[in-house]
Amino acid sequence: MANSDPIPRDQAPPSDSEETNGADEISEEGEEEEDTEYEEFEEEEEELDPVRERERLKSIFRRLSTDPVHVRVHDVVIKGNTKTKDAIIEAEISDLFKKPRTVQELVAAASIANARLKQLDVFDSVSITLDAGPAELPGTTNVVIEVVEASNPLTGNVGVFSKPEARSWSLEGSLKLKNLFGHADIWDTSGAFGWDQSLEIGTGVWVPRFKSVPTPLSARAFLLSQDWLKFSSYKERLMGLNFGLLSTNNHDLSYNLTWRTLTDPTRMSSPSIRRQLGHNVLSALKYCYKIDRRDSHLRPKSGYAFSSTSQVSGLWDLRGLKFFRQEFDLRAAMPLGFWNAAFNVGLSAGAIFPLGRNFTKLSTSVPDRFFLGGHSSLVCSLGGPSSLLGFQTRGLGPNDMRRVLNLNKDEGSSVQSDCHDFVGGDLAVTAFADVSFDLPLKIFRDAGIHGHAFVCAGNLAKLSEGEIRNFSTERFLKTFRSSAGVGVILPTKFFRVEVNYCHVLKQFENDHGKNGIQFSFSSPL
Amino acid sequence: MGDSRSSSDRHLFLVARKPRFGLPTACPSCLPVYLYLKLANADFSVEFDSSFPDSDHIPYVEYGESVALNNEKGGVIELLKEEAILDLNAKHTSLAIPDLVSTKAMVSSWLYEAILYELWIAIGGDVTHNIYFSDLPWPIGKILHWKKIYNVKKLLGVTKVNCEERELEIYKKANEAYEALSLKLGDQVFFFDNRPTDVDALFLGHALFVLHALPETSELRSNLLKHDNLVKYAEHLKAELQLDSTPSSTQPSSSSKDASTSSAPRRKPSSGWGAKPNPKPKKEKTEEEKKFRRRAKYFLATQLVAVLVFLSLMGVPGDSEMDDEDAVDYDEE
């Protein structure tokens, strides 16, 4: 008769110091289910037939994996941490071992605990052993967590990445110093150099928890220089601090205090950009909610994802930039049932509004507006409207004519730069549909190389400086730019490569759309 | 584009720094351009830029699709003349040109250096803050201020060793320029042929700035006040051009809108680099400054408290268990 009570005392599991007779007891038939106890597998004194022993162990494992073997955690013992504080490790796993009531649940909890501790990135290895509890407490177990702290706290890595908001890919390197104070703190210094002559240097610290705050905290100081001369006739330099206040799987809250300077060394900027040159302070709180239920973020075949990012700036007295910025991004994927194909759709929208009296007449800062264009992946990037294949980075939308140079006043000749400055939009909407499929050759399939066909559309509109009165939804929809194409995706070890042929279906005057082959590089992770 | 058209056919946009001290623009680089447009009876509008105090391209004038920047081809005035947009000197005879050019060179170099020295090195502080940095957050304004002082010292060749000598040299040249200009002007309304020229715009801008923006303790101001005809020339044109955009005293000897209210004794030449080359007596901060600093401190303190409260509220119940250094006992029964 099945008995869910704890193991009877006379058949309680032996303690570590006792000789193990449990094997004999367990081998008795007819009493295994009720009397099955969990014990650590120690060497037995009695010599058994190896075949019989194997059968016995198989039987035990079968029962442990299928039947509800009741057990209770008595104690959690942490070993191997010389530098890391016990409280840090306990905080990561404290909630996991209170609930399990069966061996199966305990094993699952142990694997989660193992993953969490490894995620701290301060241990070389983590092993969790389920040991027998005290003899006087039958049906209990001790969880022994043995960690090996990183022998070399200093690590470095170098990689090539492409960010959706950047013009091109960049070479990034970082140095990390782990667990300096025993709080699983990670100190890092990083530098990134972009192909477009952008440069970023930063240093920061990350802790998984700090005192009563159960979520990771981070602080970072950075210096970023970015060159937008080709598209918008300005160079941007940012210097500031970023504080990560709340970071969970779905929520992210951060505060950013940045000194931003826009300059135009070429002196060719348009009047709109010229008036934006100068110094500004960005004191902003940013909240991001993200949920990603897709089965893969590199090649999703099912699921959905949603992200919402809200940013409020203007927390520095009256002299900083004051605006509210909101982005939405919605994705969905569904399998098509042939050729490992999947259909992905996505819709992104964003808007920015200045804050203050008569806000409809105020202007927004150009770097905070939305820009569309570029070669970043439609499917992989999740973070607001930015990508529109077939169009150059910052290649469409509101623009202003650059400066005219009068070379020869007698003849009345003048030179006008053949470009306009793209000044960005206060309202942006993009949408795409993408079908990915395996390629016919097995060698491609084995390597993960697959093809895709896509169609995408997007548009920008200016709402600030009184333009909101002239805004018309009908005209906004009629002026949507669009493109379509096919391509091949090659996932390599160092980066993910997309080679696409794009055909621009609709563009307007001054847009920089171009038919042809485009390359895109992004992180393989 | 580029053809000779009268200024009346084209509306100009002047971007300059903001008004202060009863002047339409308080920046000594922007004021001459403003006055040039006024003297030329140009049709122009003014926009103010307060976010780029360390820029070289301000002031600038936009005309049509072109723009005349301050850091190109000798400045806005020279560009407007070159493009035949506005040329005050066009009607003057060729005989006056050499004299005009040399006078302009004297005003553009000696008096320009004197203004730079007086504003950034001798006086600095509240005057420069009010003109250039009052619309920026304090830390940024401070950093830019220091950067500008360093650049001015570099430009004028002022070092620890020679600061005293340099100061005497700059003031000496300024005095000589004032004397020469005073003799040149005499009782005339303008310097040349009773018609305005770019020299009038340049000197008028200098004089109005010195008389209205610099404090009473300024040596440059004291030197200029010795030449009555120059002072009268400046005030007369100020009234005629209707430059009074804000209510303020028109008497040059009265206190201007800076923070200086006390009558400090005349300065002595400085002898060291560590302190300011001309140690002026510290002016009392205005009520406005004190209020601003107090509010800034309260705001920073409030932000800090808000963040601390938020972090405290994020703590979960039972967090005190984590403080327990002993291993957690899971045997809850």
Side-chain angles (χ1 to χ4, degrees):
Chain A
M1 164 174 155
N3 187 357
S4 60
D5 289 340
I7 301 163
R9 213 171 229 314
D10 58 350
Q11 292 185 3
S15 61
D16 289 349
S17 58
E18 291 181 358
E19 293 180 355
T20 301
N21 291 320
D24 291 334
E25 293 177 0
I26 292 172
S27 65
E28 293 179 8
E29 293 182 358
E31 296 177 357
E32 290 87 303
E33 288 196 17
E34 292 80 11
D35 300 340
T36 302
E37 70 272 5
Y38 178 76
E39 61 178 359
E40 183 180 2
F41 295 101
E42 300 174 316
E43 289 182 1
E44 298 176 359
E45 288 191 345
E46 294 185 7
E47 292 184 2
L48 298 171
D49 181 5
V51 174
R52 195 175 161 202
E53 179 59 21
R54 274 200 302 276
E55 287 302 318
R56 185 184 70 81
L57 287 174
K58 280 184 187 173
S59 169
I60 290 171
F61 282 127
R62 202 179 311 118
R63 281 196 296 275
L64 288 174
S65 61
T66 56
D67 298 337
V69 179
H70 296 285
V71 73
R72 196 173 64 243
V73 175
H74 171 253
D75 196 7
V76 174
V77 179
I78 300 170
K79 293 179 181 176
N81 55 323
T82 53
K83 194 195 288 186
T84 314
K85 305 279 189 288
D86 279 353
I88 298 296
I89 298 175
E90 287 163 8
E92 288 296 316
I93 50 94
S94 61
D95 58 326
L96 291 173
F97 295 113
K98 288 181 185 174
K99 294 178 186 174
R101 293 295 176 196
T102 65
V103 169
Q104 292 87 343
E105 288 174 6
L106 192 58
V107 169
S111 65
I112 296 173
N114 193 309
R116 279 189 191 178
L117 291 173
K118 281 184 178 165
Q119 217 171 13
L120 291 177
D121 203 21
V122 295
F123 302 120
D124 278 344
S125 70
V126 176
S127 66
I128 299 181
T129 310
L130 305 178
D131 198 358
E136 61 273 18
L137 296 173
T140 62
T141 181
N142 287 344
V143 178
V144 178
I145 300 174
E146 190 156 357
V147 298
V148 176
E149 290 173 333
S151 54
N152 183 11
L154 190 65
T155 59
N157 69 333
V158 178
V160 175
F161 300 99
S162 170
K163 296 175 187 170
E165 61 273 12
R167 273 205 287 155
S168 66
W169 44 280
S170 61
L171 177 68
E172 298 181 16
S174 67
L175 276 176
K176 288 185 185 178
L177 185 60
K178 300 180 186 178
N179 215 6
L180 186 64
F181 296 106
H183 290 276
D185 46 300
I186 297 180
W187 302 78
D188 81 286
T189 298
S190 64
F193 180 76
W195 188 254
D196 54 353
Q197 296 180 345
S198 64
L199 176 69
E200 182 176 1
I201 300 170
T203 184
V205 59
W206 177 92
V207 290
R209 54 189 65 237
F210 184 72
K211 302 225 171 162
S212 60
V213 181
T215 58
L217 295 175
S218 65
R220 188 164 191 80
F222 63 91
L223 171 65
L224 168 65
S225 166
Q226 201 143 24
D227 184 347
W228 297 109
L229 287 172
K230 188 177 171 188
F231 308 104
S232 302
S233 294
Y234 71 87
K235 287 181 84 165
E236 185 179 9
R237 190 191 71 223
L238 299 104
M239 194 185 320
L241 301 169
N242 179 277
F243 299 97
L245 303 174
L246 171 72
S247 180
T248 66
N249 286 338
N250 300 120
H251 305 276
D252 196 277
L253 179 69
S254 63
Y255 173 72
N256 200 316
L257 182 64
T258 305
W259 173 8
R260 180 195 291 159
T261 305
L262 304 184
T263 57
D264 174 25
T266 64
R267 300 191 291 244
M268 292 298 295
S269 57
S270 58
S272 306
I273 297 295
R274 202 180 298 127
R275 276 159 178 73
Q276 297 259 345
L277 300 177
H279 303 276
N280 271 309
V281 165
L282 185 73
S283 172
L285 207 57
K286 187 174 178 181
Y287 168 70
C288 181
Y289 172 74
K290 195 177 282 192
I291 181 168
D292 195 340
R293 295 278 185 263
R294 296 176 297 179
D295 56 348
S296 164
H297 72 275
L298 289 179
R299 190 185 173 184
K301 293 173 197 164
S302 67
Y304 66 92
F306 172 75
S307 84
S308 164
T309 304
S310 307
Q311 188 176 11
V312 176
S313 175
L315 306 178
W316 181 276
D317 203 351
L318 301 172
R319 293 185 175 84
L321 295 169
K322 300 180 76 175
F323 63 82
F324 174 72
R325 195 173 192 268
Q326 177 67 49
E327 291 175 13
F328 292 108
D329 205 331
L330 180 64
R331 306 288 172 92
M334 58 204 80
L336 294 179
F338 59 91
W339 295 352
N340 204 16
F343 179 66
N344 278 268
V345 290
L347 177 66
S348 306
I352 179 171
F353 296 101
L355 297 176
R357 268 188 210 175
N358 297 323
F359 69 94
T360 53
K361 294 179 186 172
L362 297 176
S363 174
T364 49
S365 174
V366 168
D368 297 309
R369 294 177 189 166
F370 296 93
F371 292 88
L372 296 183
H375 307 159
S376 57
S377 170
L378 293 172
V379 172
C380 297
S381 57
L382 179 71
S386 65
S387 180
L388 194 63
L389 296 178
F391 290 84
Q392 202 176 42
T393 302
R394 295 194 173 193
L396 62 110
N399 56 81
D400 196 2
M401 191 155 47
R402 286 184 183 169
R403 179 185 178 190
V404 173
L405 287 175
N406 296 323
L407 291 184
N408 192 332
K409 67 181 177 94
D410 293 331
E411 294 177 9
S413 64
S414 62
V415 168
Q416 181 176 343
S417 54
D418 57 355
C419 289
H420 288 69
D421 285 336
F422 288 97
V423 298
D426 302 306
L427 173 68
V429 177
T430 61
F432 77 89
D434 178 283
V435 173
S436 65
F437 46 87
D438 277 347
L439 296 174
L441 293 178
K442 187 176 184 299
I443 188 172
F444 290 150
R445 287 198 298 273
D446 292 341
I449 299 173
H450 57 278
H452 74 136
F454 60 88
V455 61
C456 54
N459 201 4
L460 291 169
K462 182 176 178 181
L463 301 178
S464 55
E465 295 178 351
E467 288 293 323
I468 194 171
R469 292 198 193 93
N470 302 329
F471 178 76
S472 154
T473 309
E474 192 183 339
R475 194 176 69 214
F476 184 72
L477 292 172
K478 277 187 184 172
T479 53
F480 254 77
R481 283 73 162 173
S482 58
S483 66
V486 293
V488 174
I489 296 161
L490 298 91
T492 69
K493 188 179 176 183
F494 297 104
F495 39 72
R496 180 177 175 278
V497 183
E498 269 192 40
V499 183
N500 297 319
Y501 175 80
C502 300
H503 178 76
V504 177
L505 300 173
K506 190 176 178 185
Q507 63 175 321
F508 289 86
E509 190 184 359
N510 300 326
D511 287 350
H512 289 181
K514 191 177 175 185
N515 299 335
I517 297 200
Q518 296 174 348
F519 289 85
S520 164
F521 298 86
S522 56
S523 169
L525 300 173
Chain B
M1 204 77 61
D3 55 348
S4 301
R5 293 166 58 175
S6 65
S7 59
S8 58
D9 298 340
R10 183 182 298 182
H11 188 77
L12 309 176
F13 291 93
L14 167 66
V15 176
R17 300 211 164 86
K18 61 179 187 177
R20 193 122 185 153
F21 311 118
L23 299 171
T25 168
C27 169
S29 299
C30 304
L31 191 55
V33 177
Y34 179 94
L35 294 168
Y36 185 86
L37 297 176
K38 270 286 195 182
L39 288 169
N41 292 318
D43 176 23
F44 72 100
S45 311
V46 186
E47 294 178 20
F48 298 109
D49 181 296
S50 54
S51 66
F52 211 169
D54 55 333
S55 70
D56 292 332
H57 70 278
I58 293 175
Y60 60 88
V61 170
E62 290 175 343
Y63 49 100
E65 291 165 349
S66 302
V67 61
L69 300 174
N70 185 54
N71 55 352
E72 279 183 339
K73 295 183 182 176
V76 176
I77 296 174
E78 292 303 316
L79 262 171
L80 291 176
K81 281 163 42 182
E82 190 180 314
E83 298 295 324
I85 305 295
L86 282 175
D87 189 353
L88 279 178
N89 299 353
K91 292 178 184 174
H92 287 269
T93 63
S94 59
L95 291 173
I97 296 299
D99 196 13
L100 197 151
V101 169
S102 58
T103 308
K104 187 167 72 175
M106 183 179 62
V107 173
S108 302
S109 57
W110 291 1
L111 294 185
Y112 174 71
E113 283 185 0
I115 277 274
L116 270 187
Y117 182 87
E118 193 74 356
L119 184 61
W120 292 103
I121 300 176
I123 296 173
D126 296 328
V127 176
T128 49
H129 174 81
N130 289 333
I131 298 171
Y132 296 101
F133 308 115
S134 57
D135 286 335
L136 290 176
W138 177 82
I140 295 176
K142 209 69 187 170
I143 291 171
L144 294 176
H145 196 172
W146 290 332
K147 190 180 159 194
K148 180 69 178 181
I149 291 174
Y150 172 79
N151 289 337
V152 167
K153 283 178 178 168
K154 203 172 169 185
L155 180 71
L156 297 178
V158 177
T159 63
K160 284 184 188 180
V161 175
N162 71 355
C163 58
E164 198 175 322
E165 291 164 24
R166 246 345 242 134
E167 183 182 281
L168 290 173
E169 184 184 337
I170 288 170
Y171 285 140
K172 179 172 173 286
K173 282 183 179 174
N175 285 336
E176 286 175 6
Y178 288 152
E179 283 173 13
L181 288 167
S182 179
L183 283 172
K184 175 70 189 167
L185 181 68
D187 295 327
Q188 298 179 96
V189 178
F190 298 106
F191 281 100
F192 295 93
D193 299 336
N194 270 326
R195 283 200 195 103
T197 61
D198 51 359
V199 173
D200 291 289
L202 291 170
F203 179 72
L204 182 60
H206 170 92
L208 288 176
F209 182 83
V210 169
L211 293 172
H212 293 275
L214 295 183
E216 289 177 3
T217 52
S218 161
E219 183 161 339
L220 196 66
R221 188 170 184 268
S222 307
N223 290 336
L224 181 60
L225 285 172
K226 291 176 189 170
H227 303 277
D228 290 339
N229 65 334
L230 294 178
V231 175
K232 284 178 187 168
Y233 158 85
E235 294 305 322
H236 166 72
L237 283 177
K238 182 171 183 256
E240 192 164 306
L241 294 174
Q242 297 174 346
L243 298 180
D244 267 334
S245 59
T246 54
S248 65
S249 169
T250 56
Q251 296 297 324
S253 57
S254 64
S255 62
S256 59
K257 287 203 166 187
D258 62 359
S260 173
T261 54
S262 59
S263 56
R266 186 173 287 279
R267 296 169 292 104
K268 293 180 186 175
S270 62
S271 57
W273 177 268
K276 286 183 182 177
N278 290 301
K280 300 259 187 213
K282 274 208 168 184
K283 306 176 188 57
E284 289 182 11
K285 291 179 186 165
T286 58
E287 277 305 308
E288 194 181 302
E289 279 241 27
K290 286 180 189 170
K291 204 176 174 184
F292 163 75
R293 286 186 197 277
R294 195 169 53 243
R295 277 185 182 172
K297 283 178 195 169
Y298 287 155
F299 186 82
L300 280 174
T302 312
Q303 273 194 324
L304 185 63
V305 168
V307 170
L308 289 172
V309 166
F310 173 80
L311 290 174
S312 304
L313 289 174
M314 284 301 298
V316 294
D319 278 353
S320 56
E321 293 177 6
M322 293 183 193
D323 294 332
D324 191 355
E325 290 298 328
D326 300 330
V328 177
D329 186 3
Y330 282 83
D331 193 3
E332 295 179 355
E333 283 195 2

